Amino acid sequence: MANDYDIVVIGAGVAGLNAAIAAARHGVRTMIIDMLGAGGQVINVDRIDNFPGPAEGMSGFELGPMLQMQADEAGVEFALDTIETISRTEIGFRIAGADLDLSAGAVIIAAGSVKRTLGIPGEAEFEGRGVSHCASCDGPLMRGRQVCIIGGGDSALDEALALVPHAARITVIHHGSRLTASAALQAKAQEAGNIEVRLNTVATAIRGEDGVSAVTVRDLSAGTESDIPCHGVFVYIGLAPNTAFLGSAVTLASDGRIVVDLDMQTSVPGIFAAGDIRSRSVAHLAASAGDGVTAAISAVRHLAAARSGEPVKHHAPAG
């Protein structure tokens, strides 16, 4: 019996693409599967500064295709599908999706994360009608209007800065007493003439009729509520790991991310994880790329040990 592939990579973001490239360059047959296509969520990022490249940065629309081209040249095969289960076989793993059903000697999980939602009245109702998760996509629709960004990290300020040329006024709403974004991004936001930051503030409802007209917020210090008039609400309150499809296949940390060791090895020999889906990730693109390469080299070594008949060394990662 033989597996369909040596290594299957689940997820075609920066971590997954770099894993697939590194694996294929080691001469193993590699398949990468994603439900959307190469690039993952980074495709929607207007400017990327946390990845090696030009001093002026680059867009996700540039980075994704660039990595896909490298993967194509390395001989990586691509497929579009939604993976539903991963299970063990006598010689490796079965990877079952909505359409695909294939086997591999090793698996690298790089399925990334999904954007968290606020769970407040009006959020779902106005999705696509003023509520958005992509400022670079919908920014032009907000030309000359007032908008709100909910969140205080790098993603929130990145998107606020992407809206600067379009929106008349941008209000950043953050529940904490200070922003968590990098100092460089905070400096750029301060330099922009149309960004206001509201700290110790949470959004409690999104209001409107045909579209968004206001966000109701609560001042956590004063305990009072008020409305901020706006036409767009951009939500950036963090990411939730895309691990629901795994079930109990591998050990997960308390935050839902996959527990790995320094080799990106999970609790199951032959299954590796890379990028912000794995525990203790710093969630930066450069780090995700490194994760992918580490996972690929570890997977190649796992295959070599299995083929030689040597016992595969495995130390369960600490949770």
Side-chain angles (χ1 to χ4, degrees):
M1 294 178 60
N3 288 314
D4 295 319
Y5 293 91
D6 295 312
I7 296 175
V8 165
V9 181
I10 300 172
V14 169
L17 285 166
N18 276 278
I21 292 166
R25 286 176 175 169
H26 275 77
V28 299
R29 189 179 182 198
T30 305
M31 163 72 83
I32 187 167
I33 305 169
D34 194 275
M35 59 183 174
L36 296 176
Q41 292 189 40
V42 75
I43 286 293
N44 296 320
V45 177
D46 187 58
R47 176 183 167 124
I48 297 169
D49 289 311
N50 62 353
F51 193 81
E56 65 274 14
M58 70 178 81
S59 70
F61 188 76
E62 295 171 307
L63 179 59
M66 180 186 75
L67 292 175
Q68 182 178 10
M69 185 179 300
Q70 291 181 17
D72 285 337
E73 292 175 350
V76 176
E77 298 180 47
F78 281 83
L80 290 176
D81 202 0
T82 301
I83 300 304
E84 297 175 345
T85 60
I86 300 173
S87 55
R88 295 199 210 201
T89 66
E90 291 183 2
I91 58 171
F93 302 93
R94 177 190 176 200
I95 301 96
D99 299 312
L100 293 172
D101 190 342
L102 46 84
S103 61
V107 178
I108 298 173
I109 303 170
S113 305
V114 294
K115 291 183 174 66
R116 295 186 188 275
T117 58
L118 295 163
I120 61 175
E123 182 181 22
E125 178 185 352
F126 291 111
E127 181 75 37
R129 296 191 299 131
V131 174
S132 173
H133 298 274
C134 182
S136 58
C137 306
D138 298 330
L141 302 176
M142 297 294 134
R143 186 168 298 278
R145 296 188 164 192
Q146 298 183 68
V147 301
C148 288
I149 298 276
I150 302 178
D154 283 357
S155 295
L157 286 200
D158 268 332
E159 299 307 294
L161 291 166
L163 286 166
V164 165
H166 307 293
R169 191 70 183 169
I170 302 157
T171 303
V172 176
I173 301 167
H174 181 52
H175 70 275
S177 59
R178 59 183 181 181
L179 298 175
T180 58
S182 69
L185 285 174
Q186 291 191 48
K188 289 180 181 179
Q190 289 174 356
E191 292 170 4
N194 56 347
I195 296 179
E196 175 190 359
V197 177
R198 295 274 298 267
L199 299 174
N200 296 308
T201 304
V202 295
T204 58
I206 298 171
R207 306 191 182 282
E209 293 184 5
D210 295 331
V212 171
S213 61
V215 174
T216 300
V217 298
R218 179 184 298 119
D219 185 316
L220 296 177
S221 299
T224 56
E225 285 199 346
S226 60
D227 284 349
I228 300 176
C230 66
H231 297 91
V233 181
F234 296 83
V235 182
Y236 296 95
I237 57 170
L239 301 170
N242 187 23
T243 52
F245 72 96
L246 293 171
S248 59
V250 296
T251 299
L252 303 180
S254 58
D255 62 359
R257 288 177 166 78
I258 302 171
V259 176
V260 297
D261 64 14
L262 293 177
D263 296 323
M264 302 299 134
Q265 170 70 65
T266 70
S267 57
V268 178
I271 299 182
F272 304 83
D276 61 9
I277 200 170
R278 61 98 169 173
S279 60
R280 298 186 176 89
S281 168
V282 295
H284 274 231
L285 292 183
S288 292
D291 279 3
V293 174
T294 298
I297 293 173
S298 298
V300 169
R301 289 173 177 168
H302 171 86
L303 292 173
R307 288 168 179 166
S308 69
E310 298 176 5
V312 177
K313 296 180 181 179
H314 177 255
H315 303 284

